[in-house]
C-alpha cells in the first residue's frame, strides 16, 4: 500500500472507530442497548423503543432520560464546535445521572482533546421548591417532590467511572444555580446545555452563563416544549437582551440555537 493510500485509510479507519465508539456510548447511556424498563413515575413499566428514542420515559437504570435524539444533538454540536475551533468548555445545568455530560466527556476522549472541560452544575439533591413569589411561572411545580430526581454526586461520579471518564477534565459545581453559577470559574463556553426543568433554574443559568458562550457556540434547552416555565424563562431572557435567535428543533421537546455576534442565529 502506498504511503498516501495508507494515510487515507488510517484517517478513514480512525473516523470509523470513533463513530462506532460514540454510537455504543450513546446506546449505553440511554439504555437502548440493554432495554431497561422505565420508572413508573410516568405510568409505564415496560421498555418502549419509541419512548426511549425521544426521551419520553424515565429509565430505571440508564444514565440519562433525554433519549437518543437529544443525545445525538449533543454529539452533533460538540463535534461542530471542535471541528470549527469554537473556544470554550461544555456545561450542563441539571445533570441527573450524568449521561449527557458523560457523552460530552467521551467525545473529548475520542478526539483526544485535552484542553477543554465538562462542567456538571447540579444540587445533587433534586430540584428546589418553587419560589412562587419571585417566579410565579413556577407556581404549583412539584418536581422537588420526586425522589427519583435526587441523584447524589457520588452516584454521578460512579457512573462516569464505569466508562473510565472521571478525571481532571470533569469539573463540578455543586449547589443551587443561584449560588454556584454567578461566580463559576469558567472563562468561555462552547456548549451551554440547560436542563433545570423550572423557570427559576433556566433563568439563573441563562443570566449567569449566556455571556460566556463563545461566538459560534451553542445553547441547548432540554425542556423547552414540555415545561412551560422553562419556555417562558427563555423567551423573557431573550426579549430582555434583545436577542432574536432562530430556535432549531431537536425532537419536539428540546431546542437549540447558535450564538452570533450581538444576536443569535440558526
Amino acid at each position: 500500500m502506498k504511503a498516501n493510500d495508507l494515510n487515507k485509510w488510517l484517517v478513514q479507519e480512525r473516523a470509523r472507530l470513533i463513530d462506532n465508539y460514540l454510537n455504543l456510548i450513546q446506546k449505553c447511556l440511554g439504555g437502548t442497548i440493554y432495554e431497561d424498563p422505565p420508572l413508573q413515575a410516568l405510568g409505564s413499566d415496560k421498555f418502549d423503543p419509541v419512548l426511549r428514542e425521544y426521551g419520553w420515559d424515565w429509565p430505571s437504570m440508564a444514565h440519562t432520560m433525554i433519549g437518543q435524539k437529544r443525545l445525538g444533538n449533543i454529539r452533533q454540536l460538540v463535534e461542530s464546535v471542535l471541528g470549527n475551533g469554537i473556544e470554550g468548555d461544555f456545561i450542563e445545568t441539571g445533570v441527573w445521572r450524568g449521561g449527557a455530560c458523560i457523552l460530552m466527556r467521551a467525545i473529548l476522549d475520542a478526539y483526544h482533546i485535552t484542553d477543554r472541560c465538562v462542567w456538571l452544575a447540579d444540587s445533587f439533591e433534586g430540584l428546589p421548591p418553587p419560589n412562587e413569589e419571585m417566579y410565579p411561572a413556577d407556581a404549583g411545580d412539584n418536581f422537588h417532590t420526586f425522589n427519583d430526581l435526587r441523584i447524589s454526586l457520588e452516584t454521578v461520579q460512579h457512573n462516569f467511572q464505569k466508562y473510565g471518564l472521571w478525571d481532571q477534565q470533569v469539573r463540578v459545581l455543586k449547589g443551587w444555580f443561584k449560588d454556584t453559577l454567578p461566580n463559576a470559574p469558567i472563562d468561555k463556553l462552547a456548549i451551554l446545555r440547560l436542563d433545570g426543568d423550572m423557570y427559576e433554574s433556566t433563568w439563573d443559568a441563562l443570566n449567569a452563563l449566556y455571556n460566556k458562550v463563545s461566538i459560534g457556540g451553542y445553547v441547548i434547552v432540554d425542556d423547552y416544549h414540555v415545561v412551560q416555565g422553562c419556555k417562558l424563562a427563555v423567551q423573557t431572557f431573550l426579549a430582555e437582551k434583545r436577542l432574536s435567535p432562530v430556535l432549531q428543533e431537536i425532537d419536539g421537546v428540546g431546542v437549540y440555537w447558535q450564538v452570533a455576534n450581538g444576536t443569535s442565529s440558526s
Side-chain angles (χ1 to χ4, degrees):
M1 183 180 293
K2 295 181 180 180
N4 288 343
D5 292 336
L6 177 60
N7 289 337
K8 182 178 179 180
W9 180 83
L10 288 173
V11 169
Q12 292 173 339
E13 185 66 5
R14 177 175 182 267
R16 185 185 70 83
L17 292 174
I18 288 174
D19 186 58
N20 284 351
Y21 167 67
L22 293 177
N23 284 338
L24 182 60
I25 289 286
Q26 286 178 228
K27 290 176 182 178
C28 289
L29 290 171
T32 59
I33 199 165
Y34 43 85
E35 300 183 351
D36 67 313
L39 297 169
Q40 294 187 15
L42 299 185
S44 177
D45 61 358
K46 294 182 179 180
F47 176 81
D48 184 323
V50 175
L51 295 181
R52 194 61 57 87
E53 179 79 3
Y54 287 88
W56 292 339
D57 68 359
W58 289 8
S60 57
M61 296 296 294
H63 297 144
T64 181
M65 66 170 70
I66 67 175
Q68 293 301 317
K69 295 285 188 181
R70 275 170 274 158
L71 281 171
N73 169 256
I74 292 172
R75 178 178 170 185
Q76 173 194 352
L77 299 187
V78 169
E79 289 182 328
S80 173
V81 298
L82 295 179
N84 290 303
I86 306 302
E87 294 182 344
D89 293 336
F90 311 139
I91 190 170
E92 184 176 44
T93 59
V95 307
W96 198 48
R97 294 174 181 161
C101 294
I102 292 172
L103 177 59
M104 293 180 191
R105 181 66 190 91
I107 298 169
L108 293 180
D109 183 54
Y111 288 98
H112 195 58
I113 305 297
T114 60
D115 59 351
R116 299 185 194 239
C117 294
V118 178
W119 293 83
L120 285 61
D122 203 295
S123 70
F124 301 99
E125 297 176 3
L127 280 79
N131 184 342
E132 298 182 9
E133 182 177 350
M134 185 172 292
Y135 302 105
D138 285 334
D141 184 286
N142 66 346
F143 282 121
H144 66 286
T145 67
F146 287 93
N147 288 328
D148 292 325
L149 299 179
R150 297 189 177 101
I151 306 298
S152 70
L153 174 58
E154 290 74 20
T155 297
V156 173
Q157 179 178 348
H158 184 55
N159 290 340
F160 268 84
Q161 290 169 339
K162 291 176 180 178
Y163 299 87
L165 294 171
W166 184 265
D167 60 14
Q168 71 279 0
Q169 285 179 254
V170 181
R171 306 287 181 85
V172 175
L173 297 169
K174 186 178 187 299
W176 304 123
F177 296 161
K178 63 183 177 64
D179 299 322
T180 62
L181 297 184
N183 297 311
I186 300 171
D187 294 324
K188 293 181 181 179
L189 290 169
I191 302 285
L192 167 58
R193 189 173 196 279
L194 311 178
D195 195 359
D197 297 311
M198 302 171 68
Y199 183 105
E200 178 181 359
S201 301
T202 305
W203 177 266
D204 286 345
L206 284 170
N207 200 47
L209 300 174
Y210 192 86
N211 65 352
K212 295 186 177 184
V213 181
S214 298
I215 304 303
Y218 292 95
V219 177
I220 308 169
V221 186
D222 184 85
D223 308 301
Y224 189 80
H225 286 301
V226 294
V227 178
Q228 187 59 36
C230 169
K231 177 183 284 189
L232 182 59
V234 171
Q235 293 174 339
T236 302
F237 178 85
L238 294 175
E240 289 191 2
K241 299 297 183 182
R242 298 183 179 181
L243 300 171
S244 55
V246 178
L247 274 57
Q248 302 294 312
E249 296 291 338
I250 302 171
D251 60 351
V253 175
V255 299
Y256 72 96
W257 68 89
Q258 187 174 32
V259 173
N261 191 13
T263 60
S264 297
S265 62
S266 62

